[in-house]
């Protein structure tokens, strides 16, 4: 097969090499994991049992059919039963389990994909429409399988190279992405998405190379194609010739070596050449990610996106106890370093359940603090859980998407209520826990005194600030080219925020994507930011950059950037900044 290259938006730096695993939307819902050699036969039996249980179900439906049932119904049942006994469905997935070690659900959806693709090529319309029957039969078996799912076993006895797979999908929701953690998947390629869509953020957090906004990659790439993701260049090479594969394996090894070298900086202070101390914090999505933050020597957690505890659970919310345990684990893992827990930021591309996903203009809807204030019991539960964790280490509370004074007041009132409820029960918490505002809506950046007066710290969410200021959906690849960190409007809002915070002595940080973009570090520090929070995987590289800087040299260039409204002048000044 001829090799070709596709271009997209790189979201996490690195190189991944593996075979394509193209996902249909429905297939996303099933678990994907590899079973160890010793479990293969048990997994085969699990699938066989599900198939025969599906046959029994069909027989029962057949037997229970009322006498006056339309005759087509019987015909459909017949077709379904035929499919179930066809070797293409009854045998081929068993072979996939045996040869590739896929779990039963995954083996089944892989084979279904192959069958559906064959149906697509059939000229006869009637036969082509039998696709839906295959999907229904597969769903029946999948439902029966899900009830008998085994837990995720270790990947043992699988040839390492063949076990490397790259997910190719139209889109992957952040919730779906979580099931790929600690699995055999080494990269992600999606048709949709932008640089700071939440899918991109999760892949960056997992440190997994990904390219998003690829247009129609999921149609161009076939199941099992060899792929190279170069997420530095933002390209995916499909079916690369051996010479290109070898070249990329060398590049990959060199990148790994460079990363290992950076580990030496773990304990080194992040201080510029002129002696300015910079605080580098970590963004995390799960308590388990705190270990990665410690591994790179982060000074604390600057953003714990707590909503990830709530997602992918079919709307079943985590209890106060479950949340408390998650927050306490994080705080204990961070060993006295501060942990900033952002309260639930659901909505838009992080829906709590499928129903929310259909809202019109979700990014402008009932998300984040708006949602929490409309569900005070849910918010109170979270606040109590966070407060309880504050007895175990330094905790800060961060409120997302504030725009109105009353949202601050209501949040603080609910926090006071949570405190008094705990006090009544003699439960310990830090009574002075500090509360900060995300500055991520232009309205907030334009009314900073409102926030400065009422809160203890500010944290700029550049992802949403850019989305809302420039009116571009951050998850929509069709407008991804308009996403511009260096737009004068964004630079002005950032400068205003740092100036207002410094004037009032309020701590200010950046926790959006700009903080982890090494091309922007000089600019942000030159503007006066001293605290940056980013995915752990980026922290040491940024620390190295910080240590090479001489801040006083930046002042005139940064001034020029902030005065200019000409993108070409700004771009030129940015180049100058890199050379200082
Ligand atoms: C942001 O908006 O920049 C931010 C940090 O929050 P999130 O990316 O989770 O919306
Ligand atoms: Mg945000």
């Amino acid at each position: 097969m001829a090799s070709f290259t596709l271009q997209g938006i790189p979201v996490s730096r690195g190189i991944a090499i593996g075979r394509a695993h193209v996902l249909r939307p429905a297939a996303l819902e099933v678990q994907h994991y590899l079973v160890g050699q010793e479990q293969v036969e048990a997994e085969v039996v699990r699938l066989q049992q599900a198939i025969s249980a599906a046959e029994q179900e069909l027989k029962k439906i057949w037997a229970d059919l009322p006498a006056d049932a339309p005759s087509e119904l019987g015909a459909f049942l017949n077709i379904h039963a035929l499919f179930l006994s066809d070797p293409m469905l009854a045998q081929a997935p068993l072979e996939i389990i045996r040869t590739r070690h896929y779990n039963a659900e995954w083996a089944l959806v892989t084979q279904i994909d192959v069958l559906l693709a064959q149906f697509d090529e059939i000229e006869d319309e009637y036969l082509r429409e039998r696709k839906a029957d295959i999907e229904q039969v597969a769903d029946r078996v999948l439902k029966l399988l899900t009830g008998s799912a085994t837990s995720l076993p270790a990947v043992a006895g699988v040839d390492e190279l063949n076990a490397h797979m790259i997910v190719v999908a139209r889109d992957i929701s952040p919730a779906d992405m979580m099931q790929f953690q600690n699995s055999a998947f080494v990269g992600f390629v999606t048709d949709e998405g932008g640089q700071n869509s939440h899918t991109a953020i999760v892949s960056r957090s997992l440190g997994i190379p990904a390219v998003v906004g690829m247009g129609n990659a999921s149609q161009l790439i076939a199941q099992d194609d060899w792929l190279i993701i170069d997420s530095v260049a933002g390209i995916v090479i499909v079916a690369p010739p051996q010479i290109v594969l070898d070249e990329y394996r060398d590049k990959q090894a060199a990148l790994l070596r460079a990363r290992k070298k950076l580990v030496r900086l773990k304990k080194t202070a992040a201080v510029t050449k002129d002696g300015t101390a910079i605080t580098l914090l970590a963004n995390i999505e799960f308590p388990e990610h705190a270990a990665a933050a410690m591994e790179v020597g982060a000074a604390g957690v600057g953003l714990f996106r707590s909503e990830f505890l709530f997602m992918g659970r079919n709307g079943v919310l985590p209890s106060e106890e479950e949340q408390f345990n998650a927050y306490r684990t994080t705080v204990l893992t961070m060993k006295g370093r501060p942990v900033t827990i952002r309260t639930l930021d659901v909505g838009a591309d992080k829906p709590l359940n499928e129903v929310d996903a259909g809202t019109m203009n979700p990014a402008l809807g009932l998300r984040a603090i708006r949602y929490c204030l409309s569900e005070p019991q849910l918010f109170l539960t979270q606040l109590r859980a966070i407060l309880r964790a504050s007895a175990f280490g330094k905790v800060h509370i961060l409120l997302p998407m504030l725009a109105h004074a009353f949202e601050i007041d209501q949040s603080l009132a609910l926090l006071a209520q949570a405190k008094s409820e705990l006090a009544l029960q003699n439960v310990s918490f830090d009574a002075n826990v500090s509360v900060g505002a995300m500055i991520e809506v232009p309205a907030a950046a334009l009314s900073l005194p409102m926030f400065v007066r009422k809160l203890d710290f500010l944290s700029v969410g550049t992802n949403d600030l850019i989305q809302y200021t420039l009116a571009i959906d951050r998850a929509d690849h069709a407008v991804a080219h308009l996403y511009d960190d260096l737009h004068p409007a964004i630079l002005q809002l950032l400068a205003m925020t740092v100036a207002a915070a410094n004037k009032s002595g309020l701590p200010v940080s950046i926790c959006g994507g700009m903080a982890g973009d090494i091309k922007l570090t000089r600019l942000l520090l030159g503007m006066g930011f001293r605290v940056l929070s980013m995915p752990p995987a980026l922290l040491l590289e940024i620390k190295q950059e910080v240590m090479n800087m001489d801040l006083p040299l930046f002042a005139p260039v940064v001034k020029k950037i902030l005065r200019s409204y000409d993108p070409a002048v700004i771009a030129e000044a940015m180049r100058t900044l890199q050379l200082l």
Side-chain angles (χ1 to χ4, degrees), residues 198 201 303 305 307 342 345 350 367 438 440 461-464 474 511-512:
H198 282 95
I201 286 171
L303 172 66
R305 290 184 164 99
E307 57 276 10
R342 180 177 68 188
D345 183 4
K350 292 181 288 192
R367 57 167 290 208
M438 295 276 302
E440 55 181 349
T462 52
N463 307 334
D464 279 316
R474 62 197 261 196
C511 64

Side-chain angles (χ1 to χ4, degrees), residues 272-278 521-530 546 548-556 558 577 580:
T272 60
K273 278 188 190 161
D274 58 289
T276 310
I278 307 299
T521 315
R522 288 167 182 249
L523 172 68
L524 297 177
L525 300 191
M527 287 170 84
F529 287 99
R530 296 291 175 263
V546 165
N548 282 329
M549 291 180 190
D550 203 353
L551 283 184
L553 297 181
F554 297 175
V558 171
L577 212 46
L580 296 175

Side-chain angles (χ1 to χ4, degrees), residues 445-463:
L446 292 167
S447 52
L448 288 157
M450 187 159 97
F451 294 85
V452 166
R453 260 179 240 139
K454 295 175 187 255
L455 293 162
D456 306 312
F457 67 96
L458 306 177
S459 189
V460 188
T462 52
N463 307 334

Side-chain angles (χ1 to χ4, degrees), residues 381-438:
T381 304
Q382 180 173 40
L383 292 172
R384 275 195 306 267
I386 299 176
L387 283 169
R388 286 169 60 191
S390 74
F392 295 83
K394 197 80 212 142
V395 168
H396 305 307
I397 296 177
L398 182 57
L399 303 170
M401 223 196 152
L402 292 168
H404 303 271
F406 78 85
E407 290 167 339
I408 309 175
D409 297 340
Q410 284 184 5
S411 302
L412 293 178
L414 284 169
L415 183 64
Q417 185 181 334
K419 283 181 180 175
S420 54
E421 284 170 6
L422 291 178
L424 268 177
Q425 297 163 345
N426 276 330
V427 179
S428 322
F429 61 90
D430 174 7
N432 296 317
V433 66
S434 57
V435 185
M438 295 276 302

